[in-house]
Amino acid sequence: MKCASKALRSEVDLAIKKQHADPTFGINVGRQNNEDSVGLTFSIPLNIRNNFSSEVKAASEIALSAEESFKAEYLEKLQLIIGSEKVLFEYEKRYLHWQSIAKMALVDADTLLEKQWKSGDISTTDYIQLLNQLSDGQMVGIELEQKWKLSYIELLLNEGSISNAISNL
């Protein structure tokens, strides 16, 4: 976008330079009726009606418009990145919290529950119901991990650095 901005600035500079017409000077050499002739011409343009200010103004407006479009797009991308970072950190925090509380408890609960069922401390119906609750807890963890990783991918996409991340795998 910087190259486009430089090009538009160059157009503005060119339009400003065209605003003032330069005088011209010419020499004509030739023969006329068997006589050598030399002619001199000198021209000074008078900018009475057209001072080219509209071209300068138009070029300036185009350059300003392009610059503002760039700024708007930049700010939009920046907000997307900031939002993606916040989502990523929130999912990461929730997943790590779940992991610290539930993951180890779920593994131990599974074996403890099976021992209680085999020894007859709990009924088969209670055992199945408790296994379903354990699996629901594990599903919550899997979903949190999935959302966390997807939000990371979203951040990489918004930053435009997904190809760098893939090449580092």
Side-chain angles (χ1 to χ4, degrees), residues 39-154:
L40 298 175
T41 59
F42 184 70
S43 171
I44 300 176
L46 299 175
N47 293 326
I48 296 173
R49 293 185 184 228
N50 189 2
N51 62 2
F52 300 98
S53 64
S54 59
E55 286 85 353
V56 172
K57 186 175 180 180
S60 294
E61 292 297 324
I62 290 170
L64 286 173
S65 174
E67 191 172 325
E68 289 303 317
S69 294
F70 170 76
K71 286 179 184 177
E73 187 174 330
Y74 172 78
L75 290 175
E76 182 181 333
K77 291 288 184 187
L78 184 62
Q79 291 304 315
L80 273 174
I81 291 169
I82 291 170
S84 297
E85 285 175 341
K86 288 180 180 179
V87 168
L88 172 68
F89 293 134
E90 187 61 34
Y91 277 127
E92 180 181 24
K93 183 174 77 173
R94 289 179 183 185
Y95 174 70
L96 293 175
H97 181 69
W98 173 86
Q99 196 175 36
S100 68
I101 293 174
K103 192 171 186 178
M104 295 309 288
L106 290 173
V107 172
D108 294 340
D110 190 21
T111 53
L112 179 62
L113 193 59
E114 186 177 349
K115 285 180 185 177
Q116 286 181 324
W117 177 64
K118 285 182 178 180
S119 67
D121 291 342
I122 58 173
S123 68
T124 304
T125 307
D126 290 341
Y127 175 68
I128 292 172
Q129 185 179 15
L130 290 170
L131 278 178
N132 284 337
Q133 289 175 354
L134 286 175
S135 69
D136 288 345
Q138 288 175 336
M139 285 300 295
V140 166
I142 291 169
E143 288 175 6
L144 279 173
E145 184 179 18
Q146 181 185 21
K147 289 180 179 178
W148 173 41
K149 290 180 178 181
L150 287 173
S151 65
Y152 181 64
I153 292 169
E154 182 77 21

Side-chain angles (χ1 to χ4, degrees), residues 1 3 9 13 15 21-22 29 35 39 45 51 60 66 77 96 102 104 120 133 140 143 159 161 163:
M1 194 61 174
C3 291
R9 287 286 171 208
D13 292 340
D22 295 327
V29 178
E35 289 185 20
N51 62 2
S60 294
K77 291 288 184 187
L96 293 175
M104 295 309 288
Q133 289 175 354
V140 166
E143 288 175 6
E159 286 180 338
S161 58
S163 58

